[in-house]
Amino acid sequence: MKILVPVKRVIDYNVKPRVKADGTGVDLSNVKMSMNPFDEIAVEEAIRLKEKGAAEEIIAISVGPAKAQETLRTALAMGADRAILVETDAEVEPLAVAKILKAVVAEENPGLVILGKQAIDDDSNQTGQMLAALLGRPQGTFASKVEIEGDSVSVTREVDGGLETVKLTLPAIVTTDLRLNEPRYASLPNIMKAKKKPLDTKSAADYGVDIAPRLKTLTVKEPPVRSAGIKVPDVDTLVNKLKDMGVAN
Amino acid sequence: MKTLVWVEHDNASVKDATLAAVTAAAKLGDVDLLVAGQGAQGAADAAAQIVGVGKVLLADDAAYGHALAENVAPLIVGLAEGYDAVLFPATTTGKNVAPRVAALLDVAQISDILSVEGPKTFTRPIYAGNAIATVESSDAKLVITVRGTAFEKAATSGGSGSVEAVSATGDAGLSSFVGAELAKNERPELTSAKIIVSGGRALKDADTFQKTIFPLADKLHAAVGASRAAVDAGFVPNDYQVGQTGKIVAPEIYIAVGISGAIQHLAGMKDSKTIIAINKDEDAPIFQVADIGLVGDLFTLVPELTSKL
């Protein structure tokens, strides 16, 4: 079967985002961008399934600006076979991304779509579930273990109280949690080879999807700043502080 | 405006996070609740006691036993016709179901709201809580998940809702529940605890974590949390993780022991009322958000603190 892996180019997770002074958004000019960490895990899982013989082809896809090509090249260098870039400079909401992915699924007919559970920029945690809904397929969200068993897939999910295992009929949609795997680094030879792998560029219009946003961002602000704290010299002072707060007797 | 809140429950009682969603829903208009489950009459009766609730819709069917999104979403979509907004607590189950409902209704979901600014205007955190966006929806119907720590919990007694059965939509036949491994925890639940003691990588190993953090937590009747580093190193199970990708908490007091304070961890706890940090590195970023900091070796300081409380 084929596996489709959507990846997103986002601000690098180590960078502290700065809110623009005019409140229109977060300043992304001259900021290091990388593949969304959950998507790296998704690519890794797809490659492992291929290495186990459970998949024949891995297609990486990204919806975003021309620079998202770099993110796709990273996926190709890790081991994806080919890539599709749906190019747009607009910010695309999860619902529109899900609609684009639905159209791509109709063309490519993958047995599995593996997405990250959330993008660390908009923190929405929606796209995988929305895609599953639009396709009428089952979803295994927040996966920490994925096992193909014939015409179904068993997914262990990270839930609030612990872990839960569900069995989904294939084709299915899976979203990755942090503990699913440890993504590999792309080696230099593989980065060179990835430059020769096919990368198709498309537009949202090619898939007939309207990407106009449904949510209007009115302002983006810094969160309230915590007032400076104090340092206490020893445990006794801390104990007294806790007593003052009514915590200890 | 008429709102419907999906209730997270254990068949007998309503989970705390739902109570915050009820408060958020009440800011928008009349509140009805949906209890979907198998043998969930008890939860429906409990839901009817919540202050401010009108109707409690009870969908009792084997298909809803484990809140599988494939089965629950069509039920909610069917009921959504009579409502202007559908709200979910932003728990793992709420986050699993809500976007499926939103897509079926062809609306954009608004995730993890922090406040209600107007009938269609909300604030929500982005970039791991490093920015707060105010967003306005242009959709006719709203689908929202509510951050549990951002709203007061609605009172669980004194309400006079009426329970009304609704017919089930059946099993979609796409997925099935195999089993669950739930962590045993006799301490308070992390997301609703008043005090949390959290440990990080500096705790060295699972045994040291237990011996250092747990006694202090027990003394304070606190819940135990952990940083991602501590979870990845196997000191404690995953569901202890506090942060952008773990649980979001906002207790009265958060005690961070041996946690450096990475952006992703702060995202999960920086709305705590008082933050106390114990760390040997006085330049650790955690001290920038801590109200009270104590610099030194946690292996001597924490036992000393525990014994003096």
Side-chain angles (χ1 to χ4, degrees):
Chain A
M1 72 178 178
K2 283 189 205 177
I3 301 180
L4 183 71
V5 186
V7 295
K8 186 176 186 184
R9 178 179 182 266
V10 299
I11 189 168
D12 188 87
Y13 73 97
N14 282 311
V15 176
K16 185 164 164 51
R18 303 249 168 251
V19 174
K20 287 189 212 166
D22 62 0
T24 54
V26 165
D27 192 357
L28 293 177
S29 53
N30 302 316
V31 169
K32 187 184 176 204
M33 305 292 276
S34 302
M35 188 190 296
N36 181 43
F38 292 101
D39 303 347
E40 287 185 356
I41 295 169
V43 174
E44 175 66 35
E45 194 62 20
I47 297 165
R48 290 186 189 190
L49 288 169
K50 190 181 169 192
E51 286 169 350
K52 278 191 232 166
E56 287 89 49
E57 191 186 28
I58 301 166
I59 307 155
I61 179 166
S62 193
V63 179
K67 281 194 169 165
Q69 273 196 31
E70 294 164 14
T71 310
L72 288 168
R73 290 289 172 203
T74 306
L76 293 170
M78 286 173 74
D81 296 293
R82 60 188 171 91
I84 304 167
L85 172 64
V86 181
E87 198 178 324
T88 169
D89 284 323
E91 224 172 283
V92 190
E93 289 175 352
L95 182 62
V97 173
K99 286 179 179 176
I100 291 170
L101 294 176
K102 181 191 176 190
V104 174
V105 167
E107 262 177 22
E108 301 284 353
N109 210 12
L112 263 186
V113 184
I114 310 181
L115 307 89
K117 81 162 174 182
Q118 77 191 64
I120 61 163
D121 52 0
D122 64 18
D123 280 332
S124 289
N125 195 333
Q126 299 172 4
T127 309
Q129 295 90 315
M130 288 182 153
L131 175 63
L134 297 176
L135 292 166
R137 290 186 182 176
Q139 64 190 51
T141 51
F142 324 143
S144 63
K145 196 170 165 195
V146 176
E147 279 172 340
I148 309 276
E149 295 161 351
D151 58 358
S152 67
V153 57
S154 157
V155 179
T156 301
R157 308 176 53 233
E158 294 200 8
V159 295
D160 283 332
L163 298 171
E164 171 184 300
T165 304
V166 291
K167 194 170 180 169
L168 314 174
T169 313
L170 288 171
I173 314 298
V174 169
T175 76
T176 65
D177 215 320
L178 274 177
R179 271 165 286 272
L180 180 58
N181 60 47
E182 185 89 24
R184 68 193 66 187
Y185 288 101
S187 66
L188 186 60
N190 285 343
I191 292 170
M192 301 310 288
K193 274 184 222 156
K195 292 185 177 167
K196 296 203 178 80
K197 289 185 178 176
L199 193 159
D200 285 344
T201 304
K202 304 266 195 176
S203 72
D206 291 342
Y207 298 106
V209 174
D210 173 14
I211 58 167
R214 307 286 188 85
L215 298 180
K216 192 167 134 199
T217 300
L218 304 177
T219 59
V220 175
K221 283 189 188 146
E222 295 267 1
V225 181
R226 293 188 73 96
S227 53
I230 53 156
K231 285 218 172 102
V232 293
D234 51 35
V235 169
D236 289 318
T237 323
L238 178 56
V239 170
N240 287 332
K241 290 269 176 203
L242 285 170
K243 283 181 181 164
D244 291 346
M245 285 187 266
V247 175
N249 311 312
Chain B
M1 200 186 241
K2 281 187 76 183
T3 69
L4 182 68
V5 176
W6 173 81
V7 173
E8 185 160 4
H9 62 86
D10 58 7
N11 286 332
S13 63
V14 174
K15 296 274 182 78
D16 275 359
T18 304
L19 303 174
V22 169
T23 304
K27 289 178 191 285
L28 291 169
D30 299 333
V31 185
D32 287 353
L33 303 183
L34 169 64
V35 173
Q38 186 179 13
Q41 182 71 43
D45 292 340
Q49 299 295 312
I50 298 171
V51 171
V53 166
K55 265 189 297 191
V56 176
L57 308 176
L58 172 62
D60 211 314
D61 192 275
Y64 308 133
H66 297 284
L68 293 171
E70 296 80 359
N71 295 345
V72 175
L75 170 73
I76 300 172
V77 169
L79 296 170
E81 208 168 295
Y83 294 92
D84 304 300
V86 188
L87 290 86
F88 299 77
T91 56
T92 46
T93 317
K95 288 174 183 175
N96 188 39
V97 178
R100 196 165 177 115
V101 171
L104 293 173
L105 293 170
D106 193 32
V107 305
Q109 181 197 302
I110 309 162
S111 293
D112 229 7
I113 63 161
L114 299 174
S115 71
V116 175
E117 301 290 316
K120 298 223 163 190
T121 312
F122 307 88
T123 63
R124 60 175 304 264
I126 52 176
Y127 292 88
N130 283 292
I132 309 294
T134 306
V135 295
E136 184 183 43
S137 174
S138 61
D139 284 318
K141 228 178 258 302
L142 302 174
V143 176
I144 295 168
T145 62
V146 178
R147 176 167 291 197
T149 56
F151 294 86
E152 294 288 323
K153 295 179 180 67
T156 51
S157 61
S160 54
S162 57
V163 178
E164 190 176 292
V166 293
S167 49
T169 45
D171 193 326
L174 294 169
S175 59
S176 58
F177 176 82
V178 178
E181 242 178 87
L182 299 180
K184 287 188 192 74
N185 205 337
E186 282 150 23
R187 294 189 176 76
E189 203 200 345
L190 201 49
T191 49
S192 56
K194 287 202 160 54
I195 306 176
I196 294 173
V197 181
S198 234
R201 198 202 313 262
L203 272 306
K204 285 203 175 99
D205 55 46
D207 197 42
T208 318
F209 192 102
Q210 288 238 348
K211 282 185 187 150
T212 317
I213 299 294
F214 286 27
L216 176 59
D218 290 342
K219 263 277 171 65
L220 294 167
H221 306 292
V224 175
S227 70
R228 183 186 165 196
V231 171
D232 281 351
F235 300 176
V236 285
N238 301 343
D239 52 304
Y240 282 66
Q241 188 184 326
V242 171
Q244 182 183 20
T245 63
K247 296 199 167 101
I248 313 285
V249 299
E252 300 277 312
I253 301 173
Y254 188 90
I255 306 181
V257 179
I259 292 176
S260 64
I263 296 175
Q264 293 79 16
H265 186 75
L266 299 182
M269 45 64 79
K270 67 179 175 184
D271 294 324
S272 306
K273 204 160 169 205
T274 302
I275 297 172
I276 299 173
I278 302 176
N279 205 301
K280 68 175 177 199
D281 175 10
E282 62 179 313
D283 297 322
I286 191 77
F287 286 120
Q288 289 164 21
V289 300
D291 301 282
I292 303 173
L294 180 57
V295 180
D297 180 18
L298 68 94
F299 295 110
T300 53
L301 294 176
V302 175
E304 189 188 341
L305 176 60
T306 307
S307 69
K308 283 181 176 167
L309 283 170

